[in-house]
Amino acid sequence: MKRLPFAVMIPTLLVAIAALSMTLSEFFISIKKPVDFNTLYESELHAGMRVEGDVYALLDTFAAEETWTEDSETGSQTPRETSKYYYIIPIGEESYMGLQVAIADDAAYDAVLNATWDYLTDVTTDLLSEPVRFEGYIAEMDDDLYQYFVEWFQDTGYFGTTNAAVISGYAMPLMLQEFSPGLYPIFAIGVGLLLLNVLFVVLHLRYRKKQRAAAAAVPGAEGAVPAAQTGSDDPWDRPDTSSASSPSDEP
């Protein structure tokens, strides 16, 4: 390859970087061996663990994520739509953490939530709902989300106190989170485009190496050997046929 195709390389490299930055950390978590979160103690829980297990009980939702589109020129916006709910799930011996649920799955988790409160308020003597199977990983809550998490316990008086320091001893700043939709296809696109750019560079370096070897084999040869002399069929190696101006002989 005589010249690097920067017009192709630059946009594909940018897409590759964007795709990998979105998926790389989740991908490495996804290839770990999953652990049943129901068997873990508080001291064993940390962000970056791949986990799975059945969700038997939920306390409540403490936050929701809404999405909408806003027109920057007119200031108008589309109706807000809820895309995710954040539930409170008991974990370990006496602690709680968050559980992120896509809106498409909320009905099954709501059934667990309602059954939990029927059990806590002595309406039933057992948890009667079917557990929901969860597969994903443990992520850190951002500061705003954790504030909502703690505020739920303060507002309900669940621990008999509004002291945030006491509550934080039970409310862990961690969250069960499903893997992003399209994780593997997006990761594969990023890797593929990155390898394409590596291939361009390798082919270019091989061409330059052959060029230097051919020049060294011809006594007194200087500069590059024309692509036509190498017998290459690579369209990138075709000689430049663009016209060039010459000095005029007119006075």
Side-chain angles (χ1 to χ4, degrees):
M1 181 176 289
K2 185 176 181 180
R3 296 179 298 274
L4 287 173
F6 289 110
V8 176
M9 292 179 65
I10 292 175
T12 55
L13 186 59
L14 291 176
V15 173
I17 293 172
L20 292 177
S21 64
M22 291 168 52
T23 59
L24 196 59
S25 60
E26 276 194 48
F27 174 79
F28 283 123
I29 294 173
S30 73
I31 61 178
K32 295 179 181 179
K33 183 179 180 180
V35 181
D36 188 341
F37 58 82
N38 289 309
T39 66
L40 300 175
Y41 293 102
E42 288 87 340
S43 59
E44 298 174 297
L45 298 166
H46 60 82
M49 295 182 67
R50 183 183 178 187
V51 293
E52 62 182 14
D54 292 327
V55 177
Y56 296 98
L58 294 168
L59 283 187
D60 200 356
T61 56
F62 67 94
E65 182 177 295
E66 297 180 330
T67 57
W68 66 92
T69 302
E70 185 172 334
D71 191 320
S72 58
E73 295 183 358
T74 64
S76 61
Q77 65 180 38
T78 59
R80 299 189 178 211
E81 297 182 356
T82 301
S83 57
K84 296 174 184 175
Y85 284 111
Y86 295 91
Y87 291 79
I88 301 172
I89 180 172
I91 198 80
E93 293 186 314
E94 54 181 2
S95 297
Y96 298 86
M97 64 192 304
L99 168 63
Q100 178 182 288
V101 174
I103 187 67
D105 302 322
D106 69 319
Y109 287 97
D110 280 345
V112 174
L113 172 60
N114 293 332
T116 301
W117 277 103
D118 286 344
Y119 173 75
L120 292 175
T121 56
D122 296 324
V123 174
T124 60
T125 57
D126 297 298
L127 290 169
L128 300 181
S129 67
E130 287 292 326
V132 180
R133 188 67 179 176
F134 174 88
E135 296 182 8
Y137 65 102
I138 297 178
E140 290 186 7
M141 284 192 198
D142 62 43
D143 292 340
D144 290 339
L145 197 59
Y146 186 64
Q147 181 179 344
Y148 298 144
F149 190 47
V150 172
E151 286 177 354
W152 184 92
F153 291 102
Q154 290 175 320
D155 294 341
T156 60
Y158 188 82
F159 295 119
T161 179
T162 59
N163 189 313
V166 175
I167 293 172
S168 63
Y170 300 95
M172 305 182 71
L174 299 173
M175 178 170 58
L176 295 177
Q177 184 169 316
E178 295 178 336
F179 290 108
S180 300
L183 170 63
Y184 295 109
I186 295 174
F187 178 79
I189 290 172
V191 172
L193 293 179
L194 183 62
L195 291 177
L196 177 64
N197 281 271
V198 171
L199 178 62
F200 284 147
V201 174
V202 170
L203 292 176
H204 177 70
L205 292 177
R206 287 181 61 186
Y207 170 82
R208 299 298 295 174
K209 182 179 179 180
K210 290 180 180 180
Q211 186 184 48
R212 288 193 296 269
V218 179
E222 296 181 0
V225 176
Q229 295 182 18
T230 66
S232 173
D233 294 328
D234 191 337
W236 295 101
D237 293 340
R238 293 172 184 170
D240 191 354
T241 57
S242 59
S243 61
S245 60
S246 58
S248 174
D249 292 331
E250 296 180 4

